[in-house]
C-alpha cells in the first residue's frame, strides 16, 4: 500500500473530476422515475428517501429495480470514465458521485443513503470486489431479512478486503465512504436496535 501517500493528480483535473462526478451522482433517479410513473413524490412515503428501498415501498418492483440499477450506474460511470485519466481521477469522481447522491443540490442537499451508488463506485474501481459485497449482502439478507443491516455489514467487509488485497487508495476511499454510509443509516441502526426496522418485502 505504498501508493497511499503518493497522490499526484493535478488540481485542475481534481476539480474537473469533482464537478463531473457530483453532477452525475446528483441525478435523483428514484424521484424522476416515480414521478414519471404517476406515483407522486417518493419523498412523501416511507422513509422519505429517494433510493431503491423506498421506491420498493410503492409496490412497484420494476421501478425499484430500475432505481437501484441507475443509482449504481451513475457511480460506476463516474469512476470508470474518470479512470481514463488515472486511478486517482476515478477515485475523486467516484467519491464526488457518492456525495452527489447523498447531497444533491437540486433537492436541497437531501438525497439518498448511498448504498447503490457505493456499489456502483466499487464496480467502477474494483469490479471483482463487488462479488464480495454481493455475497455478504445475500448471506446477511437470508439470515436476517434486513436490507439495511445486510448493506451495513457489507460496507464493513469491503474496505477490509480492499486493503488486504492491496487496493491502497481505493481501500481508503471505501473506509471513508463506509463511515459516511453508517452515519446516513443512523436512523436504521436505531430501529434495528429497537427491533422496529422493516424487513425485506414489507411495505410502509
Amino acid at each position: 500500500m505504498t501508493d497511499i501517500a503518493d497522490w499526484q493528480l493535478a488540481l485542475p483535473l481534481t476539480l474537473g473530476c469533482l464537478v463531473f462526478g457530483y453532477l452525475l451522482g446528483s441525478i435523483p433517479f428514484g424521484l424522476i422515475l416515480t414521478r414519471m410513473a404517476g406515483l407522486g413524490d417518493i419523498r412523501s412515503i416511507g422513509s422519505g428517501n429517494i433510493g431503491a428501498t423506498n421506491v420498493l415501498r410503492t409496490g412497484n418492483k420494476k421501478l425499484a429495480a430500475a432505481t437501484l440499477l441507475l443509482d449504481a450506474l451513475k457511480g460506476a460511470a463516474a469512476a470508470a470514465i474518470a479512470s481514463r485519466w488515472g486511478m486517482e481521477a476515478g477515485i475523486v469522481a467516484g467519491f464526488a458521485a457518492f456525495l452527489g447522491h447523498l447531497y444533491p443540490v437540486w433537492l436541497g442537499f437531501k438525497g439518498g443513503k448511498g448504498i447503490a451508488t457505493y456499489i456502483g463506485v466499487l464496480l467502477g474501481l474494483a469490479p471483482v470486489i463487488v462479488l464480495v459485497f454481493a455475497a455478504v449482502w445475500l448471506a446477511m439478507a437470508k439470515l436476517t431479512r434486513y436490507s439495511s443491516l445486510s448493506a451495513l455489514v457489507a460496507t464493513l467487509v469491503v474496505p477490509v478486503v480492499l486493503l488486504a488485497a492491496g487496493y491502497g487508495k481505493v481501500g481508503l476511499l471505501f473506509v471513508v465512504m463506509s463511515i459516511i454510509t453508517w452515519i446516513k443509516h443512523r436512523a436504521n441502526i436505531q430501529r434495528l436496535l429497537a427491533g422496529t426496522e422493516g424487513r425485506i418485502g414489507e411495505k410502509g
Side-chain angles (χ1 to χ4, degrees):
M1 297 190 292
T2 56
D3 65 326
I4 291 176
D6 182 24
W7 190 267
Q8 299 180 350
L9 192 64
L11 181 59
L13 185 54
T14 298
L15 294 176
C17 289
L18 283 171
V19 173
F20 165 67
Y22 179 83
L23 291 177
L24 188 56
S26 66
I27 301 172
F29 285 115
L31 181 61
I32 293 171
L33 291 175
T34 49
R35 281 186 169 172
M36 288 177 62
L39 297 175
D41 192 332
I42 188 64
R43 295 170 295 179
S44 66
I45 69 169
S47 65
N49 193 267
I50 63 170
T53 300
N54 206 40
V55 173
L56 186 59
R57 292 190 174 100
T58 67
N60 193 317
K61 294 181 180 180
K62 290 182 179 179
L63 275 187
T67 300
L68 178 66
L69 178 62
L70 290 170
D71 282 347
L73 283 177
K74 66 187 183 184
I81 292 171
S83 290
R84 297 179 63 183
W85 287 270
M87 181 58 75
E88 292 176 350
I91 288 171
V92 172
F95 184 54
F98 179 69
L99 293 179
H101 178 74
L102 298 181
Y103 308 106
V105 63
W106 332 110
L107 303 179
F109 301 102
K110 296 178 181 179
K113 294 182 180 179
I115 294 297
T117 308
Y118 180 107
I119 296 169
V121 176
L122 185 61
L123 180 63
L125 296 177
V128 70
I129 310 300
V130 171
L131 297 176
V132 174
F133 186 103
V136 174
W137 192 95
L138 288 170
M140 289 300 301
K142 185 175 182 179
L143 286 172
T144 70
R145 291 185 58 241
Y146 286 120
S147 177
S148 57
L149 179 60
S150 302
L152 289 170
V153 172
T155 63
L156 287 179
V157 174
V158 163
V160 175
V161 173
L162 285 168
L163 291 171
Y167 291 88
K169 294 173 183 175
V170 176
L172 285 184
L173 167 67
F174 278 88
V175 168
V176 174
M177 287 174 58
S178 293
I179 291 171
I180 295 172
T181 298
W182 274 69
I183 292 172
K184 291 292 291 185
H185 281 77
R186 59 190 179 276
N188 299 84
I189 294 170
Q190 291 172 355
R191 289 194 295 270
L192 284 166
L193 293 173
T196 58
E197 177 75 336
R199 293 179 186 267
I200 295 170
E202 293 179 352
K203 293 183 180 181

